Amino acid sequence: MGRDDKGTGCETAEEAFRRIALDCGEAFAASHARTMEEDDPEGPHKARVALRRLRSALAAFDQILDAGFARKTGRRARRLSRILGDLRDADVLAGHRTDGPEASAAAREADRMRRKVRKRLRQAEAETFAPKLSRRLEAHRWLRGNRRARALAARPTTLLGGRALGDAWAACLAHGGDLATMSDEERHEMRKDLKTMRYTVEFFGEIWAGKAQARFLGRMKELQDALGHLNDLAMLRREGALDAHHAAAAREAMQTASSLWSQTAAAPVWWSESEAQARVETSPA
């Protein structure tokens, strides 16, 4: 069911997941083709975003999904994302080295990695990922078979949305409030959970649309940008390419991220799991 046909709050959970998963598959297919045909770094980046969104949807709709389908799809999406991640890192490093022999060496390494990743994607039959996902979704071989899951799949997305947002946000808060004391790896894990939260908001946000949600999403985007910058700079440090300019940028990004995280974590939530429960219980089956 397309977004233009009716809003998220009017879709059943089954319709919503199918739409979201198909959108993710189509986005991956387009970006995968771009990765295989062009040298633009946006190709692998957007392919990884599509795969991350799909994995977030698998978590958000877990209660209605067949366990085997969710596990197999998530595992394959993770594998493809890791393959693409090597190229993404090489492109980032090349983008930060713009002068002198080091820039030429980084560009050559990115080209070498691009050839290697393309070969690995062909070996992994990445081009079949989206078509296979589409066929599985259209054949309905992805829903849990028990009565409760089937009933929930036939209900509006509201209940699933409230629970999914609550779970995703709890995972973010579990990282704590002091970004400066976290290791690079800990901040990277937090960044991944924040992405899951942001995508979950995009899946269900229409149900609770308003100024509070808009402010939350705005801060989340800025926070993810700052954490992404920190992640790139951490990679440069590991590669021995962190100069004084980059070190100053890292301090600024840390200050920005810490401030944004404090504001975001302290803000009241704008969705209600109890309200969602009431809506579903009073809605017609």
Side-chain angles (χ1 to χ4, degrees), residues 87 89-114 236 241:
L87 176 54
D89 288 347
D91 281 333
V92 168
L93 187 59
H96 280 281
R97 286 176 164 169
T98 56
D99 297 311
E102 289 184 345
S104 297
R108 288 195 299 272
E109 174 58 20
D111 288 339
R112 185 193 71 80
M113 184 57 70
R114 185 165 285 103
L236 291 179

Side-chain angles (χ1 to χ4, degrees), residues 128-155:
T128 69
F129 180 74
K132 285 183 177 179
L133 176 63
S134 177
R135 288 195 294 272
R136 187 81 182 266
L137 291 168
E138 293 304 324
H140 297 271
R141 298 195 307 270
W142 52 273
L143 286 169
R144 284 184 187 265
N146 65 70
R147 182 181 300 177
R148 180 184 179 280
R150 291 283 182 174
L152 187 58
R155 295 281 191 169

Side-chain angles (χ1 to χ4, degrees), residues 13 55 61 68 76 87 89 107 166 182 193 221 229 265:
R55 290 171 61 197
F61 289 86
R76 188 154 188 231
L87 176 54
D89 288 347
M182 297 181 190
D193 283 336
K221 184 179 185 305
H229 193 32

Side-chain angles (χ1 to χ4, degrees), residues 68-80:
F69 164 80
R71 182 172 58 254
K72 183 177 180 180
T73 303
R75 186 179 297 157
R76 188 154 188 231
R78 186 182 298 108
R79 180 189 177 198
L80 293 174

Side-chain angles (χ1 to χ4, degrees), residues 185-212:
E185 181 60 28
E186 287 170 338
R187 280 193 297 272
H188 180 58
E189 291 301 313
M190 178 181 180
R191 180 170 170 248
K192 290 194 292 186
D193 283 336
L194 288 168
K195 285 182 181 180
T196 296
M197 179 63 188
R198 180 179 168 188
Y199 298 149
T200 305
V201 173
E202 292 171 357
F203 298 154
F204 300 107
E206 184 179 312
I207 301 171
W208 292 280
K211 292 182 179 179

Side-chain angles (χ1 to χ4, degrees), residues 27-72:
F28 171 76
S31 296
H32 168 260
R34 187 174 177 181
T35 299
M36 301 300 285
E37 298 166 6
E38 304 174 13
D39 294 344
D40 186 354
E42 283 299 292
H45 170 61
K46 289 187 176 180
R48 294 186 79 214
V49 169
L51 293 170
R52 168 62 67 175
R53 285 179 61 86
L54 177 59
R55 290 171 61 197
S56 298
L58 292 172
F61 289 86
D62 174 70
Q63 293 181 79
I64 68 169
L65 300 180
D66 174 76
F69 164 80
R71 182 172 58 254
K72 183 177 180 180

